[in-house]
Amino acid sequence: KKINLKTSLNCHNDYGLSKIASERLLKTCSDIFNISLIILRIGPVYSEENPNCNKISKIIFDIKKNHNIQIYNPENVVSFLNINCASKAICKSLKVNSGTFIVAGASLNIKKFLLIARKKYKSKSKIQFKKKKLLKIKMIFDLKNQRKNLKWMYNKSKMFNP
């Protein structure tokens, strides 16, 4: 099932709860004071230049440097978004009057995402994939709204810039 703007927001931690509360508070203020509001629900972002940004950025850095890596649960589906693509979507949102938009990358399993990265960077990294009994993740977003109203769409060819 694809996640879209009508999918109920469920939080699994304090961070998620704060995001939901903030969005609702902003919508309430927008309604009371008749202010246009743009909400961007941005998926997991990675940087190709800053390995300290987050875990996936560090893994990409390791692939670029030909380091061997070990990945657990490679079949988990995620929608990683290159920070440059996220920036373009944010700029596009400045041209819209109001709305809520999901900004996310292509839904790929972690294994496929990393194999594409290794190929793009012409890396000699050995990636060892292991299964571990953890929560199964499947983040698949319905991005029709962003294409139509935000006039932005994630471009798989811009996923990595070697």
Side-chain angles (χ1 to χ4, degrees):
K1 182 181 172 188
K2 288 187 177 182
I3 299 167
N4 61 36
L5 294 175
K6 293 180 181 171
T7 304
S8 65
L9 301 175
N10 297 316
C11 62
H12 304 286
N13 54 36
D14 290 341
Y15 175 68
L17 182 61
S18 71
K19 287 172 63 172
I20 292 169
S22 297
E23 188 173 306
R24 288 184 181 157
L25 180 62
L26 286 168
K27 282 184 178 181
T28 300
C29 289
S30 173
D31 291 344
I32 291 170
F33 298 109
N34 196 24
I35 300 169
S36 64
L37 176 66
I38 300 166
I39 295 173
L40 300 177
R41 295 180 183 165
I42 300 177
V45 176
Y46 65 91
S47 168
E48 293 178 273
E49 290 83 34
N50 183 358
N52 300 318
C53 182
N54 55 26
K55 193 171 188 175
I56 192 65
S57 299
K58 171 71 169 102
I59 292 168
I60 290 169
F61 176 80
D62 287 343
I63 289 172
K64 285 169 78 172
K65 296 294 182 185
N66 297 313
H67 298 162
N68 295 334
I69 57 174
Q70 194 173 74
I71 300 297
Y72 291 96
N73 297 332
E75 298 308 315
N76 281 348
V77 177
V78 290
S79 298
F80 292 126
L81 181 64
N82 182 302
I83 195 161
N84 297 322
C85 294
S87 299
K88 287 177 185 171
I90 292 166
C91 290
K92 288 277 189 179
S93 75
L94 298 173
K95 297 176 183 174
V96 176
N97 279 345
S98 64
T100 301
F101 304 97
I102 296 172
V103 178
S107 296
L108 299 169
N109 69 38
I110 294 170
K111 181 177 184 176
K112 186 171 185 178
F113 177 82
L114 295 177
L115 291 175
I116 291 169
R118 186 174 69 182
K119 184 177 179 181
K120 284 279 189 176
Y121 295 124
K122 298 179 174 108
S123 173
K124 294 179 181 18
S125 294
K126 288 189 174 106
I127 306 174
Q128 187 177 23
F129 297 104
K130 293 185 171 189
K131 290 189 179 187
K132 201 173 190 181
K133 288 189 179 182
L134 294 173
L135 180 67
K136 188 169 174 124
I137 298 169
K138 195 169 187 180
M139 293 175 58
I140 301 173
F141 295 97
D142 181 352
L143 304 174
K144 285 182 237 153
N145 182 33
Q146 75 181 18
R147 184 182 305 127
K148 180 181 168 192
N149 299 321
L150 194 57
K151 294 178 179 47
W152 177 86
M153 190 62 200
Y154 182 73
N155 185 341
K156 280 187 185 179
S157 69
K158 305 283 186 196
M159 205 157 51
F160 302 104
N161 302 296

